[in-house]
Amino acid sequence: MIRIIIGELRKVWQGKSFWIIIATAILINFCYMQFSDKIAIGLSEEQEMSEEVPSFAYKNFDKKLTEAKDRRQFIEDYYTEIQGLQLVEQIQNYKASDSELALKMAEGMLKDKKEEYNKYFSKWKNKDYYLFTDNLNTESIFAEKIFKKYSQEKDYNGYLNEIFEQEEEKLGVSIFADNIKDSFSEKMIRKTSEKYRGMKGIKTNFYSFCWLEKISENQMTDILIALVIFIIAMYLVFEDKKKNLFSIIKAAPYGRSGCISAKLFTLAVSTVFVTFIMHLSMLIYIGCNFGLAGIQESVQSAGAFIACPYHFKVWQFLLISIFMKGAAFIIFALFILLISMLSSNYIVPFGTGILLLIGNVLLYEMFTSVGKYNVLHYLNIWSFIKSEKLIGNYSLLDIAGVPLSATFMANLLITILCAMLISINVFVFLKVRQMPEYSKKIKLNIAVSRLYRKERTSKKLISYEAYKIYRISGCAVMIILFVLGMAFSGAESSSYLSPNQESYRIQMKALEGKMTDEKEKIVLERKYYYDDVLEKLKILEEKYEEGKVAQETYENRRLSLESKLALYPAFLRVQERYEYVKNHKSARFVYEDGYNKMIGKMDNWYIDFIFIIAMVLIIMQSTIFTLDRERGMEGLIRATPKGRNISSFYKVGIGIINAAILIFSFMCRNIYVANKFYGLGLWSVSISSLKGFEALPEFLPIILCVALFGMVQLLIVIAFSVLVMFVSKKIGSAVWAIVIQLVLAIGIYVLYFSRHMT
């Protein structure tokens, strides 16, 4: 019996495919966690922002919080300071605008909150403050989130007392109502109250616990685990069916009971292992990005799980939830194993499993956790998989008028389903004499299918190659998803300009074009204004040093004058361009930030998108030459008159078209975003008018340089695509080619990213 179990384990675990599939799933999960937010918002270092706070902010905040002597004071002081700095920035943003309404709003805010403004203006001007994020606007959102969490979690015993007061109030009302007394509502109130009374005395310590929330919210990990388990369950059956071993196994000693027992044991162990390794890899990734602060604290310290009715540490909570997930995935695995034994090919069990997964997800999402039909929300397999939600709260279900814990009922149902599916699998394997034999494909003997095949074979060679690459390999789907992703990223992107950047944009937009007397007058008037303010500030400081001005008067006047200089850095940029245009007759005023944004010169989001393009190209181009070899058609194609050179030429040509579509959609996205937030004008002006490009020839217009830049990008991407196709052809296997090249690409990206971060 042990030898049979070892044999089944070797069948799965010693195969290269098993480890390749797990590595690929981990890689996909990493990429999803890395780019699921960035791909939609084009997150950059300074210019663009959204409500998504960068991961390092939480990690650094938790580190500072651990070092603080008084956590309460640290959080409150931090929140107050960021609110004050944000007020100053908002007022300066209004002042930078050319709108009269904005200027009036700035005056009104300054009048209402003058004391707070004066308190934080010097800090804002001198940047004498510490940020956990990249800019003050994102920091304000981050501080708001932290303070909101802290306000909810700072007093766990107060939270419990509030629950008890509410329960007593409800219970008091129900006791006086004859129709409610001894009803399900009263039983639920009493049971909930009793459960939470046992939670008194738990000590909590505040941390951001964003890492724990990310783990519980990430559904991609669970979906990938389900897909890997589907493959393992099908492999255990179809590997024997392919070799026609089912009849031999059943005829051998211990062939029936021993074999099915070994398969069930292998399936359970493999399922638990895959669940554990996938979640461990996710924990390592999230730990590196967000940190794991508070993992030794009680789970009630995390706001998302403050209602957990169990005495768990955070690490215990995670471990128990992983084991519950493993048990739920075993149900899926047993179901797929059963369908596989009754099927002749992979399509039926895989399709049935997908439908079962989707059906349970829909039940989970359609029915809420409260209400009449919450039983359907909690007692389904996807709810068992989302075990963090299940054990992180206390919910009671109405089972025949008796309030029973949703967690208890879930564990009971998991046990029943496992026992039932094991019994059915054993019964089918032992009693069904003739299992369906393995078949490579489903035959469609219908007129439409015959006509379609006849028409397809009559097409030209390039059409056939395109059909294989775009339809059979799925490249068309990849291209459509990428183009849609670029369109969605451009539409959903947002932008943040600091007050000085906004002021510079407004001034340069007003000056764009040739130098005129009127434009020169505008610049010089602005220069005289700032020179006057600087002179007054200098005189004030001299009088203060001589003792002619009292300190309080000095501070008030200095703050008033410095506030007028808040946008002076923007004017210095304008003055620099004025001097250049004045000294170069062919030069023009051009607002350059949009062009810098378009070509990725302004910030670092560009490398993230280039990496995404590289990954998409690796996945697509790796199948172009390997498809024929894996389908056993390479030898036949090479034997035909046009099977070598012309066929390869068409394949490379289609690969180049793929690269061109990707880079073109990427460039269109960049042009749209740059024009949306910064504006792109004067395309015919010389490129030397742009700051940073003064050394280029004056006869080159901006539009030509942008086109040349696009051509260079296209050539680089084409060269990369050809390299990917060449390497894939040498490797021979699409799976191995994708895995090896993705690992190399990710390694290069990580090295670049780590160097950039340091």
Side-chain angles (χ1 to χ4, degrees):
M1 180 64 185
I2 294 175
R3 294 178 65 184
I4 299 175
I5 292 174
I6 293 172
E8 292 292 338
L9 284 170
R10 282 179 177 175
K11 186 188 297 181
V12 176
W13 289 42
Q14 280 192 348
K16 294 179 181 178
S17 301
F18 176 71
W19 299 105
I20 291 173
I21 289 168
I22 291 178
T24 304
I26 292 172
L27 189 64
I28 292 171
N29 198 29
F30 282 174
C31 293
Y32 172 80
M33 289 186 287
Q34 177 72 20
F35 297 109
S36 59
D37 299 316
K38 287 187 179 183
I39 195 170
I41 62 176
L43 187 66
S44 71
E45 189 173 291
E46 291 182 357
Q47 298 300 314
E48 295 188 20
M49 54 79 68
S50 77
E51 291 192 3
E52 189 65 30
V53 177
S55 58
F56 58 81
Y58 294 98
K59 188 175 183 179
N60 293 338
F61 174 81
D62 286 331
K63 186 178 179 181
K64 288 279 186 181
L65 187 63
T66 305
E67 297 170 356
K69 294 181 180 179
D70 188 341
R71 294 189 176 195
R72 180 188 65 80
Q73 194 64 44
F74 172 79
I75 294 168
E76 291 180 356
D77 289 347
Y78 164 71
Y79 177 72
T80 304
E81 181 181 47
I82 296 301
Q83 290 295 103
L85 293 169
Q86 177 64 12
L87 171 70
V88 177
E89 177 123 332
Q90 192 174 5
I91 291 173
Q92 294 302 325
N93 270 322
Y94 285 140
K95 285 184 175 182
S97 173
D98 57 353
S99 168
E100 291 184 8
L101 178 61
L103 293 173
K104 288 181 180 179
M105 290 180 68
E107 291 175 3
M109 291 176 67
L110 190 57
K111 185 178 179 181
D112 294 338
K113 299 183 178 181
K114 186 175 182 180
E115 185 177 344
E116 189 176 354
Y117 176 85
N118 291 338
K119 180 180 178 181
Y120 291 103
F121 178 79
S122 294
K123 278 191 173 184
W124 178 85
K125 181 177 179 294
N126 300 321
K127 295 190 179 296
D128 185 22
Y129 51 82
Y130 179 85
L131 296 182
F132 293 107
T133 62
D134 294 324
N135 59 71
L136 199 51
N137 261 32
T138 310
E139 191 76 17
S140 177
I141 295 168
F142 175 66
E144 196 77 41
K145 288 183 177 182
I146 291 294
F147 192 75
K148 186 177 179 181
K149 281 185 178 184
Y150 169 72
S151 301
Q152 292 173 346
E153 302 161 29
K154 63 181 179 180
D155 186 8
Y156 178 67
N157 287 324
Y159 167 79
L160 291 179
N161 291 332
E162 187 177 345
I163 291 176
F164 299 147
E165 288 173 5
Q166 291 177 356
E167 298 295 339
E168 287 173 6
E169 183 180 349
K170 293 177 184 177
L171 195 60
V173 172
S174 67
I175 288 173
F176 290 105
D178 294 334
N179 60 333
I180 297 179
K181 191 174 182 180
D182 297 326
S183 67
F184 172 79
S185 299
E186 184 180 345
K187 292 175 184 176
M188 185 181 69
I189 292 168
R190 291 186 183 279
K191 193 164 186 178
T192 302
S193 181
E194 289 173 5
K195 185 68 178 177
Y196 278 106
R197 287 190 191 281
M199 303 302 295
K200 280 190 172 182
I202 286 183
K203 293 182 179 180
T204 60
N205 274 321
F206 177 78
Y207 288 96
S208 67
F209 281 110
C210 184
W211 64 271
L212 188 59
E213 293 171 11
K214 289 290 182 182
I215 289 174
S216 64
E217 291 169 1
N218 184 15
Q219 298 192 36
M220 178 59 73
T221 305
D222 296 324
I223 292 171
L224 290 170
I225 292 171
L227 294 177
V228 173
I229 288 167
F230 287 1
I231 295 170
I232 293 171
M234 290 186 294
Y235 183 81
L236 282 169
V237 173
F238 286 106
E239 185 65 16
D240 291 338
K241 284 192 175 186
K242 282 182 181 179
K243 299 174 182 177
N244 295 318
L245 292 176
F246 256 39
S247 57
I248 299 174
I249 290 171
K250 288 188 175 185
Y254 302 105
R256 293 191 178 186
S257 59
C259 182
I260 189 61
S261 299
K263 287 183 184 296
L264 292 172
F265 179 81
T266 301
L267 187 63
V269 171
S270 301
T271 300
V272 173
F273 172 77
V274 171
T275 305
F276 179 77
I277 202 72
M278 285 293 292
H279 281 89
L280 179 62
S281 64
M282 178 175 63
L283 189 66
I284 292 171
Y285 175 87
I286 288 180
C288 292
N289 284 274
F290 292 88
L292 298 175
I295 197 169
Q296 291 287 350
E297 303 296 337
S298 61
V299 73
Q300 288 78 15
S301 299
F305 303 107
I306 195 171
C308 179
Y310 307 105
H311 293 264
F312 293 151
K313 301 289 186 184
V314 172
W315 68 268
Q316 294 171 331
F317 176 82
L318 289 172
L319 194 61
I320 291 169
S321 67
I322 289 173
F323 277 111
M324 280 190 69
K325 286 175 184 286
F329 282 122
I330 287 173
I331 296 173
F332 267 122
L334 290 169
F335 179 78
I336 297 298
L337 185 72
L338 175 63
I339 301 299
S340 298
M341 288 192 292
L342 299 173
S343 305
S344 60
N345 54 62
Y346 291 101
I347 296 174
V348 176
F350 193 80
T352 308
I354 293 293
L355 290 175
L356 179 66
L357 180 63
I358 293 173
N360 278 271
V361 171
L362 289 175
L363 279 176
Y364 182 82
E365 297 294 340
M366 286 171 62
F367 297 97
T368 60
S369 58
V370 294
K372 186 178 180 180
Y373 300 104
N374 65 342
V375 174
L376 297 173
H377 174 85
Y378 283 110
L379 300 187
N380 72 75
I381 303 174
W382 188 251
S383 176
F384 306 158
I385 291 172
K386 303 304 295 180
S387 53
E388 305 95 342
K389 307 286 185 181
L390 195 62
I391 61 178
N393 204 344
Y394 188 65
S395 299
L396 294 172
L397 306 179
D398 187 355
I399 309 297
V402 178
L404 294 175
S405 167
T407 307
F408 169 77
M409 289 302 300
N411 288 322
L412 178 63
L413 191 58
I414 288 172
T415 305
I416 292 172
L417 287 173
C418 283
M420 186 172 66
L421 285 169
I422 288 171
S423 301
I424 294 173
N425 273 281
V426 172
F427 176 82
V428 168
F429 191 84
L430 296 180
K431 298 300 180 181
V432 177
R433 293 185 178 181
Q434 292 185 344
M435 297 281 188
E437 297 296 330
Y438 174 72
S439 175
K440 287 186 178 181
K441 59 182 179 180
I442 298 175
K443 295 180 180 180
L444 299 174
N445 293 318
I446 56 178
V448 175
S449 176
R450 289 196 297 272
L451 288 172
Y452 175 73
R453 287 197 299 270
K454 184 177 180 181
E455 181 185 353
R456 194 180 72 186
T457 54
S458 65
K459 291 181 179 180
K460 294 180 180 180
L461 180 58
I462 188 170
S463 301
Y464 182 66
E465 291 293 343
Y467 171 82
K468 288 191 299 181
I469 292 169
Y470 289 117
R471 183 166 181 177
I472 297 176
S473 296
C475 286
V477 176
M478 291 288 294
I479 290 173
I480 291 170
L481 289 175
F482 181 85
V483 172
L484 290 175
M486 289 295 103
F488 182 76
S489 172
E492 293 298 313
S493 60
S494 56
S495 179
Y496 164 71
L497 296 179
S498 69
N500 274 288
Q501 290 166 342
E502 178 65 19
S503 178
Y504 179 69
R505 185 187 70 83
I506 293 170
Q507 292 180 71
M508 286 300 293
K509 281 293 182 181
L511 295 172
E512 272 192 332
K514 291 182 179 180
M515 172 73 81
T516 62
D517 293 339
E518 185 180 351
K519 291 177 182 179
E520 186 172 15
K521 182 180 177 182
I522 292 172
V523 175
L524 292 176
E525 283 180 355
R526 203 68 182 164
K527 183 179 183 300
Y528 295 150
Y529 169 79
Y530 282 117
D531 287 345
D532 182 55
V533 174
L534 288 169
E535 183 64 26
K536 287 179 179 178
L537 186 61
K538 182 181 177 182
I539 293 170
L540 178 65
E541 289 177 350
E542 289 175 353
K543 287 183 177 181
Y544 175 70
E545 289 175 0
E546 293 171 0
K548 296 179 179 180
V549 179
Q551 184 172 356
E552 185 178 353
T553 305
Y554 166 74
E555 291 292 342
N556 290 333
R557 288 183 182 176
R558 183 178 63 82
L559 283 172
S560 177
L561 291 170
E562 285 183 346
S563 67
K564 295 178 181 180
L565 293 172
L567 302 177
Y568 184 53
F571 175 73
L572 289 177
R573 291 180 65 188
V574 174
Q575 186 177 3
E576 181 186 357
R577 301 315 301 158
Y578 163 76
E579 296 293 342
Y580 178 80
V581 173
K582 186 178 180 180
N583 295 325
H584 296 78
K585 293 182 179 180
S586 61
R588 300 289 183 269
F589 284 107
V590 183
Y591 176 53
E592 73 274 10
D593 284 357
Y595 299 103
N596 289 332
K597 184 71 178 177
M598 182 178 62
I599 63 175
K601 187 180 177 183
M602 185 178 288
D603 34 50
N604 295 302
W605 58 267
Y606 209 82
I607 191 66
D608 293 335
F609 277 94
I610 293 295
F611 178 63
I612 293 171
I613 292 172
M615 289 199 302
V616 173
L617 284 172
I618 287 171
I619 295 170
M620 286 199 308
Q621 314 293 52
S622 294
T623 62
I624 290 178
F625 279 95
T626 57
L627 181 64
D628 291 332
R629 181 179 294 186
E630 292 181 340
R631 290 165 63 89
M633 297 295 293
E634 186 179 33
L636 180 62
I637 291 172
R638 289 169 66 87
T640 60
K642 297 181 180 181
R644 291 192 178 187
N645 297 334
I646 297 179
S647 176
S648 297
F649 176 77
Y650 287 154
K651 285 183 172 70
V652 173
I654 292 170
I656 291 173
I657 292 172
N658 293 342
I661 293 172
L662 262 59
I663 202 67
F664 180 74
S665 60
F666 175 59
M667 289 184 66
C668 288
R669 181 259 177 205
N670 294 343
I671 293 172
Y672 171 77
V673 171
N675 187 60
K676 179 181 177 182
F677 297 114
Y678 302 90
L680 298 173
L682 303 179
W683 287 89
S684 60
V685 171
S686 171
I687 188 69
S688 62
S689 295
L690 295 180
K691 184 180 179 181
F693 298 92
E694 293 90 347
L696 293 178
E698 293 182 355
F699 64 84
L700 287 176
I702 292 174
I703 189 169
L704 179 59
C705 289
V706 170
L708 290 173
F709 177 75
M711 289 297 296
V712 171
Q713 281 189 315
L714 178 60
L715 291 173
I716 292 171
V717 171
I718 287 173
F720 178 78
S721 297
V722 173
L723 177 64
V724 169
M725 288 186 281
F726 175 78
V727 172
S728 302
K729 187 177 181 181
K730 292 296 181 183
I731 294 173
S733 168
V735 173
W736 274 110
I738 291 171
V739 170
I740 291 171
Q741 293 178 97
L742 280 180
V743 168
L744 288 173
I746 290 173
I748 294 170
Y749 174 77
V750 169
L751 286 174
Y752 171 85
F753 186 73
S754 60
R755 181 178 295 179
H756 171 71
M757 289 299 291
T758 54

